[in-house]
Amino acid sequence: MSVRFRPELSAIPNYQAGKRPLPRLDDVTAFKVSSNENPYPPLPRVQRVIAEAAQHVNRYPDPASVELRAAIADHVALTPDQIAVATGAVALCYQCAHATAGPGDEVVFAWRSFEAYPILTSVSGAKPVPVPLLSDGTHDLPAMARAVTERTRLIFVCSPNNPTGTTVTAAEFTDFVDAVPDDVLIVLDEAYIEFSEAEDAPSAIEVVNQHANVVVLRTFSKAYGLAGLRVGYAIAAVDVIDALNSTALPFGVSSVAQSAAIASIADHQELTERVGELIARRARLTQSLQNAQVPVTASQANFVWLPLGSATAAFVVECERAGLTVRGFVDEGARVTIAEPEANERLVAVAADFVAQWSTGVAEIDRKPM
Ligand SMILES: *Cc1c(COP(=O)(O)O)cnc(C)c1O
């Protein structure tokens, strides 16, 4: 007899992490540009703080992350009781589901978006309700509002959206929140917000101060370059934060991660300069791809989205051959992280060649709407 697992689990696709062994190529450096990691190692001062904190790991971490929550609160101009921290924003996504949704409930999200949403919804026992993106890769917020039923308990809005890089505007988001019953929790997932230059973005602080049912998620994994340490945070009204804390794994955020995150906030200025450099690379990369007739959306995140439709799988293979591990979604498109200049330049070369050779050219690429 085998173990009787919950039936929901059999419906869950295996999480397709970007991490795959890099191809062995004799003459070129391979780059993993599939997981939206920051190409810069931690700042030297943050590395020293990590080494120092490592000397005390015989002790449990502060379970309430008091200092870190105070530092974040200071940084976003809110109070520590409006902040929860966890092992990455993805853990907070799970906690939002555990706190609100179970069997018989529904969780609404745009699709395609962050791959964890349907998985964590199924794990909670609730039903995933994916709402297709518009053909330009943006959220169809009116359609998402219409998808809400009396069973809906949780909604994910991802801005900038992974993998299309598109954002929602403050006005659209306000209309959306107004259209949704205020006992439904709305997650605004801002994992990439530091890379966004959109001027009409919702203000997380205003949103949280005005709406008791909105939680904003952020992470130290992407802009702050601490993906390997696992730390992210939620900002929301106090009772939402309390519910998230009730569903947290005890002692989840390690003392090393807490110290590194505090040091990173202190070195915010230097990190912002790095983010600025990545934004400049994104602009150059997007322009070069456009010049080469490669389909690409205007991204506000640290990756670009190439809506290659049915050509995607072949493109991923071409990239692999050239030493670039990209994230392909079969028949939809490829997501490629902004990385070292050499990696970005190689992407342009591979994509330009690919598009020129694919059948009779770019017109033959079946550009399905996302
Ligand atoms: C990367 C990512 C996260 C979570 O990252 P963590 O490493 O768990 O903090 C959350 N949401 C989206 C959309 C992401 O792409």
Side-chain angles (χ1 to χ4, degrees):
M1 280 231 300
S2 55
V3 175
R4 271 197 276 163
F5 296 109
R6 287 170 48 221
E8 292 90 348
L9 300 193
S10 61
I12 296 171
N14 285 329
Y15 183 76
Q16 279 254 26
K19 205 151 202 150
R20 275 189 284 154
L22 288 170
R24 274 177 199 277
L25 299 164
D26 295 336
D27 43 352
V28 294
T29 319
F31 293 99
K32 174 170 162 268
V33 282
S34 51
S35 298
N36 302 338
E37 292 155 337
N38 197 313
Y40 293 103
L43 294 170
R45 201 182 76 85
V46 175
Q47 291 191 32
R48 282 196 297 278
V49 167
I50 289 171
E52 155 67 19
Q55 294 175 28
H56 309 289
V57 293
N58 53 314
R59 305 291 178 189
Y60 278 105
D62 169 11
S65 299
V66 171
E67 269 185 72
L68 173 55
R69 283 173 38 244
I72 295 167
D74 214 41
H75 181 60
V76 298
L78 287 167
T79 56
D81 58 359
Q82 292 172 294
I83 312 291
V85 297
T87 55
V90 72
L92 291 157
C93 292
Y94 271 80
Q95 286 167 244
C96 288
H98 283 152
T100 59
D105 296 331
E106 294 174 356
V107 177
V108 173
F109 47 81
W111 199 249
R112 179 170 286 279
S113 188
F114 186 36
E115 287 169 283
Y117 301 154
I119 298 172
L120 63 92
T121 299
S122 298
V123 170
S124 76
K127 183 180 152 211
V129 179
V131 176
L133 296 169
L134 294 169
S135 59
D136 62 357
T138 57
H139 279 54
D140 188 348
L141 288 176
M144 289 174 72
R146 288 195 299 275
V148 171
T149 70
E150 73 280 2
R151 310 213 125 177
T152 306
R153 301 268 53 90
L154 177 65
I155 304 172
F156 287 99
V157 174
C158 188
S159 181
N161 187 46
N162 175 1
T164 54
T166 54
T167 54
V168 301
T169 69
E172 286 167 354
F173 189 70
T174 303
D175 287 350
F176 177 72
V177 174
D178 288 344
V180 170
D182 53 19
D183 62 351
V184 174
L185 184 64
I186 300 171
V187 175
L188 179 61
D189 186 340
E190 292 193 334
Y192 301 97
I193 195 64
E194 295 87 352
F195 298 100
S196 175
E197 292 189 304
E199 276 162 16
D200 51 5
S203 152
I205 301 162
E206 274 177 35
V207 161
V208 163
N209 280 333
Q210 284 167 10
H211 304 283
N213 64 324
V214 178
V215 53
V216 179
L217 302 186
R218 301 223 175 126
T219 179
F220 288 92
S221 297
K222 311 281 166 51
Y224 287 83
L226 296 180
L229 278 179
R230 314 302 306 125
V231 50
Y233 60 98
I235 53 188
V238 176
D239 66 330
V240 174
I241 294 300
D242 288 347
L244 292 182
N245 287 334
S246 301
T247 54
L249 285 183
F251 301 107
V253 184
S254 73
S255 47
V256 179
Q258 290 182 35
S259 299
I262 293 166
S264 297
I265 293 173
D267 278 345
H268 185 251
Q269 199 46 48
E270 252 181 286
L271 287 162
T272 303
E273 283 163 28
R274 290 176 160 193
V275 167
E277 168 60 22
L278 292 170
I279 290 172
R281 288 182 197 173
R282 177 180 74 204
R284 285 197 294 275
L285 176 58
T286 304
Q287 186 63 57
S288 306
L289 290 168
Q290 282 168 348
N291 293 348
Q293 312 291 319
V294 177
V296 58
T297 57
S299 171
Q300 295 291 350
N302 68 337
F303 52 81
V304 288
W305 171 246
L306 279 45
L308 293 167
S310 60
T312 302
F315 177 70
V316 170
V317 171
E318 280 313 305
C319 288
E320 200 80 18
R321 279 206 193 115
L324 293 177
T325 304
V326 306
R327 183 72 180 88
F329 299 97
V330 172
D331 287 342
E332 294 177 59
R335 189 193 69 201
V336 190
T337 309
I338 313 293
E340 293 81 353
E342 189 186 343
N344 302 340
E345 283 156 24
R346 201 181 303 165
L347 175 70
V348 175
V350 174
D353 258 16
F354 180 81
V355 165
Q357 282 170 28
W358 180 259
S359 189
T360 54
V362 67
E364 292 297 308
I365 292 178
D366 162 27
R367 271 190 259 176
K368 280 196 193 160
M370 301 305 139

